[in-house]
Amino acid sequence: MSKILVTGGLGVVGTELVRELRERGHEVWVCDLMHNHHPLYIRCDIGEYRQLERIFQEHTFDYVYNLAAEFGRWNGEDYYEKVWHSNGIGTKNVIRLQEKYRFRLIHFSSSEVYGDYDGIMYEDVMDKVPIKQMNDYAISKWVNELQIHNSQLMFGTETVRVRLFNTYGPGEYYSPYRSVICTFTYRALHDIPFPVYIGHHRTNTYITDCVNALATICENFKPGEVYNIASTEYYDIKTLSDLVLKYSGKPESLVTYKEHEPQTTIDKKVDNSKAVRDLGLKTTVSIEEGIRRNVEWMKKIYGK
């Protein structure tokens, strides 16, 4: 089995990924921003080169899953300094150490890199179409992919990039910058009115389906590959809101319907066939069951 470092391993996806990798028998170390009691944990801000370098001076890793990043388009506008420190400089620090220590990297990009592309989002779209990313978060994630591409050409580094599509489920605590399902659920449970943009369509991926595929990457590693990690289900945002209201037992009067949100992708139609082929990606939890589980989890967390 492999020795693996997961940066950002205390986050929503990172926590579940670490659990899955350990259950598969790998030795998994974690780094994140805060202190933690676990013996295989190291506090580290990847935006600070010295902190990150110390980890690789003391340990040799076969693989690094780089999840550490500032998340979200509006978070990226309000806290743009942190976005560029963590996502831009932080990822460059990881790459510089990869060039020196030669570990294999799995880097987490985002579906946001596709901008407002109105066709099916295949992984090679950006090789064929000049895409304009729509916010600082999206731009930072595409910059990361270009940084990785350049390192592969100049230094022969081996990296797989993954683009996650709206991963959701238990473990995501509310803030105004979190995912739409998390936001809808928290506000519904607390009787806080919320807008729903009915003109948008999405593919949401339940957390365990997502991490099962992600954990397989280090067991079937193909250098240079890019994967869309996405469910096979596709629906409008109102469907998500309707299901949240159904399972939270809240009235539709909490919702104000609007046509679309500015500077936000209208439709995310995605092809996930490569992840299905190479990583065994499956949709085992439907959107209805996933939202039901998420509502029940948030009821317990917030005492509702």
Side-chain angles (χ1 to χ4, degrees), residues 44-299:
C44 172
D45 179 348
I46 68 166
E48 302 295 333
Y49 184 84
R50 180 192 62 80
Q51 294 180 25
L52 193 61
E53 180 184 42
R54 180 170 59 90
I55 296 176
F56 293 96
Q57 289 173 339
E58 297 176 0
H59 300 274
T60 299
F61 296 103
D62 302 300
Y63 297 92
V64 173
Y65 281 81
N66 184 37
L67 286 75
E70 287 287 326
F71 162 81
R73 63 188 184 278
W74 298 119
N75 181 48
E77 300 305 311
D78 291 346
Y79 298 95
Y80 59 85
E81 305 97 330
K82 292 297 296 180
V83 164
W84 288 106
H85 181 73
S86 296
N87 299 14
I89 296 173
T91 298
K92 186 66 174 182
N93 288 341
V94 172
I95 293 169
R96 278 286 181 249
L97 290 163
Q98 181 190 21
E99 292 162 1
K100 181 176 181 178
Y101 291 101
R102 312 310 295 180
F103 53 82
R104 287 177 153 183
L105 176 64
I106 299 97
H107 177 75
F108 282 61
S109 186
S110 167
S111 62
E112 288 288 305
V113 299
Y114 290 103
D116 206 15
Y117 182 68
D118 62 0
I120 297 175
M121 294 174 177
Y122 294 95
E123 287 90 345
D124 63 353
V125 163
M126 269 72 76
D127 297 329
K128 301 175 180 179
V129 180
I131 297 294
K132 292 183 179 178
Q133 285 75 37
M134 300 171 69
N135 51 72
D136 269 35
Y137 171 69
I139 295 167
S140 76
K141 285 298 187 180
W142 183 235
V143 165
N144 292 164
E145 295 204 38
L146 296 176
Q147 289 172 318
I148 287 165
H149 178 70
N150 288 344
S151 181
Q152 289 171 336
L153 291 176
M154 291 189 292
F155 298 97
T157 49
E158 296 188 337
T159 299
V160 166
R161 290 168 280 154
V162 294
R163 297 170 183 159
L164 271 57
F165 280 73
N166 303 99
T167 303
Y168 76 101
E172 184 176 14
Y173 293 83
Y174 172 77
S175 86
Y177 302 105
R178 297 308 310 183
S179 72
V180 66
I181 291 176
C182 175
T183 299
F184 287 176
T185 305
Y186 179 88
R187 292 183 179 177
L189 290 175
H190 291 81
D191 300 305
I192 302 171
F194 57 92
V196 171
Y197 297 95
I198 59 177
H200 296 266
H201 294 76
R202 291 290 184 269
T203 295
N204 290 77
T205 315
Y206 192 71
I207 184 70
T208 52
D209 289 341
C210 178
V211 301
N212 284 338
L214 295 172
T216 302
I217 296 174
C218 66
E219 299 167 357
N220 187 29
F221 191 89
K222 295 186 176 183
E225 193 57 273
V226 185
Y227 295 107
N228 290 329
I229 307 297
S231 166
T232 54
E233 297 182 305
Y234 179 72
Y235 28 72
D236 63 11
I237 297 297
K238 185 177 184 298
T239 297
L240 305 181
S241 172
D242 288 347
L243 289 171
V244 167
L245 294 174
K246 173 182 176 180
Y247 288 111
S248 62
K250 297 296 182 174
E252 193 175 16
S253 58
L254 286 172
V255 178
T256 300
Y257 295 107
K258 300 182 179 181
E259 185 57 33
H260 64 85
E261 187 177 14
Q263 290 301 107
T264 303
T265 306
I266 300 296
D267 295 321
K268 289 187 177 181
K269 298 185 289 289
V270 57
D271 178 85
N272 68 356
S273 58
K274 285 203 298 181
V276 170
R277 179 196 69 200
D278 292 349
L279 309 178
L281 176 64
K282 296 178 182 178
T283 301
T284 68
V285 180
S286 69
I287 189 63
E288 180 154 356
E289 174 60 16
I291 287 181
R292 186 195 68 78
R293 294 182 188 182
N294 193 63
V295 169
E296 291 305 310
W297 177 79
M298 291 189 82
K299 283 180 178 179

